[in-house]
Amino acid sequence: MNTTDTWTPRRLFRTVAIAEAVTWTLLILGMLGKYVFDLGGLGVTIGGGLHGFVFLLYLVVAVVVGVNQRWSAVLLLVTLATSILPFATIPMDRRLEKRGRLDGDWRRTPGNDPADAGAADRMLRTLLAHPGRMALIGLVAVALIFAALLVVGPPGSRA
């Protein structure tokens, strides 16, 4: 079975949207442990690290799915913004599904739409031709951004 057949845009987006919400939970629990119950910062370190990585992954997946599904720039920005609010990615996933914005498969071949000639669509088709390589490139990009952000430190740490 070809793994690209099972990882539709809907399934990929939903999986990462749920993971983003779960990691919000881990971060919030870690913060409660640290600041309310005085259990130390290990929960924040683990929950925050996991959340940060999945947050970045959600952004990448949202852009890839948004380009594939031909979302408007406004819809893409709203979808990206839901990652900032705890648990908002799940209602966004439901809204996108209800409106049919996650329907369909990956667009691996050009069609009659003039957008298929655009650079973003051509690049997406090139990446989709090699889904394993695409996943690796996405994960490496997220890991590099994550590592750079670790070097910079958490927000407010350089006061």
Side-chain angles (χ1 to χ4, degrees):
M1 172 186 260
N2 188 346
T3 57
T4 58
D5 294 337
T6 59
W7 285 101
T8 63
R10 170 186 285 121
R11 183 171 179 206
L12 178 61
F13 185 82
R14 171 156 300 146
T15 300
V16 177
I18 291 169
E20 206 272 347
V22 168
T23 60
W24 260 119
T25 303
L26 295 175
L27 177 56
I28 291 168
L29 289 173
M31 291 170 63
L32 284 171
K34 179 176 181 176
Y35 299 111
V36 176
F37 299 109
D38 200 26
L39 298 175
L42 184 61
V44 172
T45 300
I46 293 170
L50 288 171
H51 177 66
F53 189 85
V54 175
F55 166 81
L56 294 171
L57 185 61
Y58 176 82
L59 298 179
V60 169
V61 166
V63 169
V64 169
V65 170
V67 169
N68 186 76
Q69 301 302 99
R70 293 202 171 100
W71 295 346
S72 68
V74 171
L75 179 58
L76 181 56
L77 288 173
V78 169
T79 303
L80 294 172
T82 62
S83 64
I84 298 169
L85 301 170
F87 314 111
T89 56
I90 292 175
M92 188 65 195
D93 170 65
R94 299 296 188 249
R95 178 178 178 217
L96 291 168
E97 181 171 18
K98 182 178 178 182
R99 295 185 179 191
R101 303 311 307 240
L102 294 170
D103 291 348
D105 202 358
W106 296 106
R107 290 186 296 109
R108 293 184 184 93
T109 57
N112 296 330
D113 193 307
D116 282 340
D121 284 54
R122 286 194 319 268
M123 183 173 22
L124 179 65
R125 283 193 305 274
T126 299
L127 291 169
L128 288 171
H130 306 282
R133 198 176 304 162
M134 179 181 178
L136 181 62
I137 290 168
L139 286 173
V140 168
V142 168
L144 289 173
I145 294 167
F146 183 74
L149 291 172
L150 283 177
V151 170
V152 172
S157 66
R158 297 193 187 249

